[in-house]
Amino acid sequence: KYTKFSISYYWINSLDQKTSIYTRVENVAIPSGEENKTAALSYDHRIMPLQNISSTGTYYCNVKWNDIQKTGKGVFVLIRDTGYINTSYSWEILITLTVLLAVLSITATALLLWKRKVFCPRRNQPNILRQKVDTQLPSASPPTVPPPVYD
């Protein structure tokens, strides 16, 4: 009674429309001595590559005996038009951050060197300033000022 059955594959789209994919009839011979025992048989069905997004839906397998019908839980398949695109920007962020830090470092170094030239006189420049001050004093009483300690 249960050796002849049909297997059908179908899918239900987002509008709850049922579309049949494939149906086949099986007739399984039972070996002697195996009568009245439960048997589990596996049947695979490969669906060809789906071409458009309208194939999105839940796919089911249904088995029918004379008076019994069993339906699988179903597998939901989401079809995308362009496929999966990885949206990782880690390299772009790393390169941007590196360039930004390099520009800031170069700018800071240039500013420090520029400020050093403006505010820090050379070693012999204080002597030049002192000589200018000495020449402006009256010649009658030239003061003798000892050189600064830091010279």
Side-chain angles (χ1 to χ4, degrees), residues 21-33:
I21 299 173
Y22 179 74
T23 301
R24 72 181 191 202
V25 177
E26 291 288 330
N27 192 2
V28 180
I30 299 175
S32 63

Side-chain angles (χ1 to χ4, degrees), residues 67-82:
D67 55 348
I68 300 173
Q69 179 175 331
K70 295 285 184 180
T71 303
K73 296 177 184 178
V75 175
F76 180 76
V77 177
L78 175 63
I79 310 295
R80 293 187 178 170
D81 195 19
T82 58

Side-chain angles (χ1 to χ4, degrees), residues 53 78-89:
I53 60 174
L78 175 63
I79 310 295
R80 293 187 178 170
D81 195 19
T82 58
Y84 177 73
I85 298 172
N86 190 2
T87 57
S88 174
Y89 299 108

Side-chain angles (χ1 to χ4, degrees), residues 95-111:
I95 290 171
T96 303
L97 186 62
T98 304
V99 168
L100 180 67
L101 288 175
V103 167
L104 288 174
S105 175
I106 292 169
T107 304
T109 304
L111 283 173

Side-chain angles (χ1 to χ4, degrees), residues 75 92 131:
V75 175
E92 289 86 355
Q131 288 173 359

Side-chain angles (χ1 to χ4, degrees), residues 3-145:
T3 59
K4 188 173 182 177
F5 54 92
S6 67
I7 303 172
S8 39
Y9 299 92
Y10 63 93
W11 66 282
I12 297 177
N13 64 13
S14 60
L15 302 174
D16 287 333
Q17 297 170 335
K18 182 178 177 180
T19 303
S20 178
I21 299 173
Y22 179 74
T23 301
R24 72 181 191 202
V25 177
E26 291 288 330
N27 192 2
V28 180
I30 299 175
S32 63
E34 295 294 319
E35 300 90 355
N36 297 325
K37 289 187 178 179
T38 301
L41 300 173
S42 176
Y43 292 92
D44 294 331
H45 178 72
R46 178 170 288 163
I47 298 173
M48 297 313 286
L50 303 171
Q51 298 299 325
N52 54 28
I53 60 174
S54 64
S55 299
T56 295
T58 306
Y59 288 74
Y60 294 94
C61 173
N62 186 12
V63 180
K64 290 182 188 177
W65 289 272
N66 291 337
D67 55 348
I68 300 173
Q69 179 175 331
K70 295 285 184 180
T71 303
K73 296 177 184 178
V75 175
F76 180 76
V77 177
L78 175 63
I79 310 295
R80 293 187 178 170
D81 195 19
T82 58
Y84 177 73
I85 298 172
N86 190 2
T87 57
S88 174
Y89 299 108
S90 59
W91 282 108
E92 289 86 355
I93 292 172
L94 183 63
I95 290 171
T96 303
L97 186 62
T98 304
V99 168
L100 180 67
L101 288 175
V103 167
L104 288 174
S105 175
I106 292 169
T107 304
T109 304
L111 283 173
L112 285 174
L113 291 175
W114 178 70
K115 292 287 185 182
R116 183 175 178 206
K117 283 183 179 180
V118 170
F119 290 120
C120 296
R122 294 182 184 164
R123 287 188 178 190
N124 59 357
Q125 193 170 0
N127 294 334
I128 294 170
L129 291 175
R130 191 171 53 237
Q131 288 173 359
K132 285 183 182 177
V133 169
D134 290 343
T135 58
Q136 292 175 358
L137 292 174
S139 61
S141 59
T144 57
V145 179

